[in-house]
Amino acid sequence: MTDRCNLRCSYCMPAEGLDWLPSEQVLTDDEVVRLITIAVHRLGVREVRFTGGEPLVRRGLVDIVGRTTDLTPRPDTSITTNALGLERMAGALATAGLDRVNVSMDTVRQDSFHEITRRDRLHDVVAGLEAAAAAGLGPVKINAVLLRGVNDDQAPELLRWCLDRGYHLRFIEQMLLDAQHVWSRDKMVTADEILASLETQFQLEPAEEPRGSAPAELFAVNGGPATVGVIASVTRPFCGDCDRVRLTADGQIRNCLFAREESDLRAALRGGAGDDEIADRWRAAMWGKRPGHGIDDVSFLQPTRPMSAIGG
Ligand code: SAM
């Protein structure tokens, strides 16, 4: 939806923010809806997730969601958000037909939240979560990244907080997609460490439901039915099952989160290409998908586009 964000998570972007995309390069609402329509009508896309940057800061979001859920077949829709402003917008998003929200929240401690995001807004996130659940945008999922020496001792506390409120928690391994290029494999908290930390307080067993193409490996907590997930793109990659495609705010197709190449659909759109031609370009972009993201390879180079401009 946008590359702009109102938080400054230390593992994502620098305190001063980034050079945002010039507005003329960002797809208009009509262009976004046209591409979603092509994806749903011609390419078999069944699920659309709105992300960013922070999707809630895009003015046309509710309208785009509404036009997406009007499509036939109606795709499943969700947003990935930091929840700032969600308290105000949850009702309108639900009315527009949004199915679910994924909220990013790495801690339930105010001081750690400030240290990680460089903003004192934990109370807004909590209010946003409550509003989303009340509006029926569930199951509400929470995504958390653990950072060594900052919140890596807080996994059990975060899980207990989520279980008490009925939120579904998933931990994401930190990936080398930060704009500051400070990621290092030695410093990242691995899935094994996250699970070991949780097991100091909870009993975990691999969940029975089939994982399919879902990025999260799920574990039943204390015999279930509650679960906790781990998205281990680095240490337990799931490339063979990945069926995602990412469309950036400036109209580029990325066939992998870690891809260095992109396919320019905005140029096609603005150059007058018809829906058939755009669908063909999109298919060709996906057929070029590599068998794996290769981040373990010594020759791997970090993509130039940071996570905040890809969407996660
Ligand atoms: N602003 C929205 C949000 O906070 O959910 C959507 C965009 S944000 C880039 C999407 C997700 O990416 C968030 O859960 C965030 O924690 C995660 N993320 C950002 N940088 C990351 C990194 N280097 N490694 C792993 N996850 C990262």
Side-chain angles (χ1 to χ4, degrees):
M1 291 288 99
T2 176
D3 60 332
R4 292 169 193 253
C5 193
N6 39 15
L7 291 182
R8 292 288 180 273
C9 301
S10 60
Y11 55 87
C12 191
M13 64 168 81
E16 64 277 16
L18 296 166
D19 289 333
W20 311 124
L21 290 167
S23 54
E24 67 277 9
Q25 288 182 21
V26 174
L27 297 182
T28 64
D29 294 357
D30 286 346
E31 287 172 333
V32 171
V33 173
R34 180 163 171 218
L35 289 179
I36 294 174
T37 306
I38 291 170
V40 170
H41 284 171
R42 294 165 189 259
L43 300 174
V45 167
R46 293 186 302 266
E47 192 178 333
V48 179
R49 169 162 307 154
F50 302 97
T51 176
E54 176 44 49
L56 296 183
V57 306
R58 179 163 179 146
R59 221 170 273 147
L61 176 69
V62 172
D63 181 55
I64 292 172
V65 169
R67 291 165 72 187
T68 300
T69 58
D70 276 347
L71 294 174
T72 308
R74 179 190 183 287
D76 182 76
T77 54
S78 56
I79 56 170
T80 299
T81 172
N82 62 28
L84 299 189
L86 188 57
E87 183 182 19
R88 188 170 37 81
M89 289 179 67
L93 287 165
T95 305
L98 188 75
D99 292 305
R100 274 173 294 104
V101 295
N102 286 5
V103 170
S104 304
M105 188 180 75
D106 305 325
T107 175
V108 288
R109 294 188 202 167
Q110 218 170 334
D111 53 349
S112 305
F113 188 91
H114 187 264
E115 182 178 359
I116 294 169
T117 67
R118 303 181 173 111
R119 300 287 186 274
D120 192 16
R121 305 288 300 273
L122 179 61
H123 53 284
D124 291 312
V125 178
V126 173
L129 282 164
E130 289 169 1
L137 296 173
V140 172
K141 293 185 188 166
I142 295 192
N143 294 337
V145 176
L146 294 182
L147 306 173
R148 200 172 296 290
V150 180
N151 63 343
D152 55 339
D153 56 341
Q154 298 180 26
E157 176 184 342
L158 198 50
L159 178 55
R160 196 168 301 284
W161 192 92
C162 290
L163 292 175
D164 287 348
R165 290 159 182 79
Y167 303 144
H168 295 200
L169 177 63
R170 290 118 39 105
F171 291 93
I172 307 177
E173 278 183 344
Q174 192 186 353
M175 296 174 262
L176 73 170
L177 289 168
D178 57 308
Q180 313 88 296
H181 295 244
V182 295
W183 181 93
S184 91
R185 180 141 193 172
D186 313 336
K187 283 209 212 110
M188 65 161 277
V189 182
T190 64
D192 284 351
E193 289 177 275
I194 296 166
L195 293 171
S197 169
L198 292 173
E199 281 176 326
T200 60
Q201 296 190 27
F202 299 94
Q203 197 198 332
L204 302 183
E205 281 160 44
E208 277 170 18
E209 56 191 272
R211 179 172 173 184
S213 60
E217 198 177 336
L218 291 182
F219 297 84
V221 181
N222 294 341
T227 57
V228 64
V230 181
I231 301 176
S233 310
V234 183
T235 64
R236 302 180 185 185
F238 38 87
C239 302
D241 293 318
C242 172
D243 61 359
R244 293 184 178 207
V245 55
R246 293 175 171 83
L247 171 65
T248 65
D250 56 343
Q252 311 298 306
I253 288 294
R254 300 179 59 82
N255 61 19
C256 172
L257 188 53
F258 298 96
R260 290 181 58 79
E261 308 85 27
E262 300 183 338
S263 304
D264 189 357
L265 291 191
R266 187 190 62 206
L269 271 178
R270 295 187 180 172
D275 288 0
D276 283 340
E277 184 185 337
I278 291 173
D280 281 346
R281 284 191 186 216
W282 201 327
R283 282 191 195 96
M286 295 315 290
W287 286 334
K289 187 172 167 70
R290 293 170 197 267
H293 56 41
I295 59 175
D296 264 344
D297 196 291
V298 281
S299 63
F300 181 78
L301 291 171
Q302 179 172 346
T304 39
R305 199 184 278 269
M307 183 70 125
S308 56
I310 302 174

